Amino acid sequence: MLRTLLLLATLVTLPLSAAAQDRAAVERQFRGWLVQTVWPRAQAEGVSRATFDAAFDGVRLNWDLPDLVAPGTTPETPRRQTQAEFGAPGKYFNRNSVDGATAVGRQMAARHAGALAATERATGVPGRIILAIWGRESGYGRVAIPHDAFEVLGTKGFMSTRAPYFTDELIAALKIAEAGHVPPRAMKSSWAGALGQPQFMPSNFLAFAADGSGDGRADIWRSEADTIASIGSYLARHGWQAGRDWGFEVVVPPSVSCTLEGPDQGRPIATWEEMGIARVSGKAFPAAERAGEGYLLMPAGRHGPAFVVTPNFYVLKDYNMSDLYALFVGHVGDRIAYGMGDFEGDWGRVGGLYRSDVAAMQRALQAQGHDVGGADGLAGYKTRRSIGRWQEATGQTATCFPEAGMKAALAH
């Protein structure tokens, strides 16, 4: 699920050709689809006609959204994908983003200490982690959330490459309006339909949104207390383990292969320690963590910082399926609460390849029998360690990260 705001993500696609489409006719088809398809489903889910009509009053198709497939046309292939979570690691941790989220986060920690403490008591999720997610998703509510949710979800439900998914989310949004959490015109979303300050998709709102203010509603658009409670609820319901950290930056000696990365290769943190992995701070791993399972994380392979993370790291990934996102949240949370500085490891000049180039490498690795997790052009842990295994099998030093020259080498 992608909840990132327009300021943090851009998907560049070929525009729909106005000459090839009679947009007025398509708009009429859209109105017919709302009445004939959406309304019966919404009515069956308990949505009143008054709520339905209010939600779509004045709503038209938004032709500027990405991934649209107008009736009678075929999907157009994106030229390139530059979403921040999947680009160059060093760029994701740029100075302004990290320092800004930290500085404002400390202000918010003081301003909302009561709500944060109440949510931590109720869920076991540390306030610093909630703050870091809030900061990353909407700048602590300071970043404008520009779109009408019913315009976005209606457009995408009617004519996008994932129309059934967005239609389901549109029904969920109507149920939110019916329950009175927020008036339809105040229901603002990102270009992907993610709602409010925590950037929940509507179905996630229905499952996890919480009333932190005690007024009987979960208003994640206008209530900081509800936003804090909702983020804590989401993480707790996804398995956050109270009393455990998210992870630790470490030094990985050459004797430990980067191919050992991944949540399916966990072992007690004490075992990683026995293998020679140590915290960059020089401190021992906390006694309470040593018996717990930990996982090697090397998001830039040998070209960047390395970490031993806990199961809580993967709970953060449930919020946004990106290693860099989860790492940013953990790191900024630590900076807010503990005054920690930058990572000791340097990211190096890696990443930034086109997804098509990474996908070509993935297909070549698949042909050799490697499990890369799918040829999607994203260098996740399965792709990273598959590159390392290929490097080791061909007599190279494993670096476990895609580089431009590998595309041609893998083709032979």
Side-chain angles (χ1 to χ4, degrees), residues 135-216:
R136 189 58 180 168
E137 293 296 340
S138 64
Y140 304 98
R142 298 182 176 191
V143 173
I145 302 169
H147 296 290
D148 183 295
F150 291 103
E151 177 186 274
V152 169
L153 294 169
T155 300
K156 285 181 166 287
F158 178 63
M159 58 173 196
S160 81
T161 56
R162 301 173 64 200
Y165 167 77
F166 283 107
T167 301
D168 290 345
E169 294 296 341
L170 176 60
I171 299 299
L174 287 166
K175 292 170 70 174
I176 294 168
E178 180 67 29
H181 293 291
V182 66
R185 292 284 73 80
M187 194 181 296
K188 298 298 182 180
S189 79
S190 72
W191 61 263
L195 305 176
Q197 297 185 44
Q199 288 290 272
F200 280 180
M201 292 304 291
S203 59
N204 280 334
F205 178 100
L206 293 175
F208 307 115
D211 173 18
S213 63
D215 65 358

Side-chain angles (χ1 to χ4, degrees), residues 2-146:
L2 303 177
R3 302 176 190 77
T4 317
L5 296 176
L6 282 171
L7 292 178
L8 306 176
T10 303
L11 178 64
V12 181
T13 60
L14 294 173
L16 290 167
S17 171
Q21 305 298 323
D22 180 347
R23 292 193 176 185
V26 175
E27 288 282 355
R28 289 192 293 273
Q29 292 179 54
F30 172 58
R31 304 309 303 186
W33 174 77
L34 289 175
V35 172
Q36 297 165 19
T37 300
V38 177
W39 165 240
R41 282 192 58 185
Q43 185 180 35
E45 294 285 344
V47 176
S48 68
R49 188 67 195 217
T51 295
F52 180 85
D53 289 342
F56 294 107
D57 183 29
V59 168
R60 297 175 60 84
L61 292 171
N62 184 339
W63 293 83
D64 294 327
L65 296 175
D67 294 333
L68 299 187
V69 185
T73 67
T74 56
E76 295 174 327
T77 304
R79 289 176 178 170
R80 58 184 178 135
Q81 165 64 278
T82 58
Q83 187 185 336
E85 276 79 9
F86 304 109
K91 186 177 180 181
Y92 193 78
F93 288 85
N94 68 80
R95 182 83 280 138
N96 288 341
S97 293
V98 172
D99 287 353
T102 301
V104 179
R106 288 172 181 160
Q107 297 172 17
M108 293 297 175
R111 185 176 304 170
H112 301 290
L116 290 163
T119 298
E120 184 165 352
R121 286 193 301 271
T123 65
V125 180
R128 73 183 195 279
I129 296 296
I130 294 171
L131 286 166
I133 288 179
W134 185 18
R136 189 58 180 168
E137 293 296 340
S138 64
Y140 304 98
R142 298 182 176 191
V143 173
I145 302 169

Side-chain angles (χ1 to χ4, degrees), residues 36-399:
Q36 297 165 19
T37 300
V38 177
W39 165 240
R41 282 192 58 185
Q43 185 180 35
E45 294 285 344
V47 176
S48 68
R49 188 67 195 217
T51 295
F52 180 85
D53 289 342
F56 294 107
D57 183 29
V59 168
R60 297 175 60 84
L61 292 171
N62 184 339
W63 293 83
D64 294 327
L65 296 175
D67 294 333
L68 299 187
V69 185
T73 67
T74 56
E76 295 174 327
T77 304
R79 289 176 178 170
R80 58 184 178 135
Q81 165 64 278
T82 58
Q83 187 185 336
E85 276 79 9
F86 304 109
K91 186 177 180 181
Y92 193 78
F93 288 85
N94 68 80
R95 182 83 280 138
N96 288 341
S97 293
V98 172
D99 287 353
T102 301
V104 179
R106 288 172 181 160
Q107 297 172 17
M108 293 297 175
R111 185 176 304 170
H112 301 290
L116 290 163
T119 298
E120 184 165 352
R121 286 193 301 271
T123 65
V125 180
R128 73 183 195 279
I129 296 296
I130 294 171
L131 286 166
I133 288 179
W134 185 18
R136 189 58 180 168
E137 293 296 340
S138 64
Y140 304 98
R142 298 182 176 191
V143 173
I145 302 169
H147 296 290
D148 183 295
F150 291 103
E151 177 186 274
V152 169
L153 294 169
T155 300
K156 285 181 166 287
F158 178 63
M159 58 173 196
S160 81
T161 56
R162 301 173 64 200
Y165 167 77
F166 283 107
T167 301
D168 290 345
E169 294 296 341
L170 176 60
I171 299 299
L174 287 166
K175 292 170 70 174
I176 294 168
E178 180 67 29
H181 293 291
V182 66
R185 292 284 73 80
M187 194 181 296
K188 298 298 182 180
S189 79
S190 72
W191 61 263
L195 305 176
Q197 297 185 44
Q199 288 290 272
F200 280 180
M201 292 304 291
S203 59
N204 280 334
F205 178 100
L206 293 175
F208 307 115
D211 173 18
S213 63
D215 65 358
R217 293 179 290 118
D219 185 349
I220 60 173
W221 294 267
R222 299 170 296 188
S223 169
E224 291 86 356
D226 291 359
T227 295
I228 289 167
S230 296
I231 294 171
S233 169
Y234 183 100
L235 296 177
R237 297 273 296 279
H238 280 77
W240 184 274
Q241 296 182 13
R244 293 207 69 183
D245 211 323
W246 66 268
F248 309 89
E249 187 182 1
V250 298
V251 176
V252 180
S255 58
V256 177
S257 174
C258 53
T259 64
L260 294 177
E261 183 184 7
D264 54 350
Q265 299 191 96
R267 58 196 71 193
I269 289 179
T271 302
W272 290 115
E273 196 173 32
E274 291 165 3
M275 294 168 65
I277 290 179
R279 294 176 67 183
V280 295
S281 65
K283 299 178 181 178
F285 289 99
E289 296 279 8
R290 294 185 75 251
E293 191 164 55
Y295 316 92
L296 185 62
L297 174 74
M298 302 181 74
R302 287 284 182 182
H303 301 299
F307 307 86
V308 168
V309 297
T310 76
N312 285 340
F313 178 85
Y314 294 99
V315 174
L316 297 178
K317 278 193 69 175
D318 283 334
Y319 208 100
N320 183 313
M321 288 302 295
S322 160
D323 288 332
L324 296 183
Y325 177 92
L327 192 57
F328 184 96
V329 166
H331 180 56
V332 168
D334 288 349
R335 294 172 73 103
I336 290 170
Y338 308 134
M340 295 178 66
D342 294 338
F343 294 133
E344 292 291 330
D346 181 68
W347 286 109
R349 298 178 63 83
V350 296
L353 299 175
Y354 284 144
R355 282 182 62 170
S356 57
D357 290 331
V358 177
M361 299 179 205
Q362 290 170 323
R363 288 190 292 271
L365 288 164
Q366 284 178 323
Q368 297 180 27
H370 293 280
D371 176 10
V372 298
D376 57 2
L378 306 176
Y381 73 89
K382 288 186 176 181
T383 294
R384 296 194 294 264
R385 71 188 185 193
S386 292
I387 288 172
R389 289 166 180 168
W390 165 73
Q391 290 172 316
E392 290 178 346
T394 53
Q396 305 174 65
T397 300
T399 61

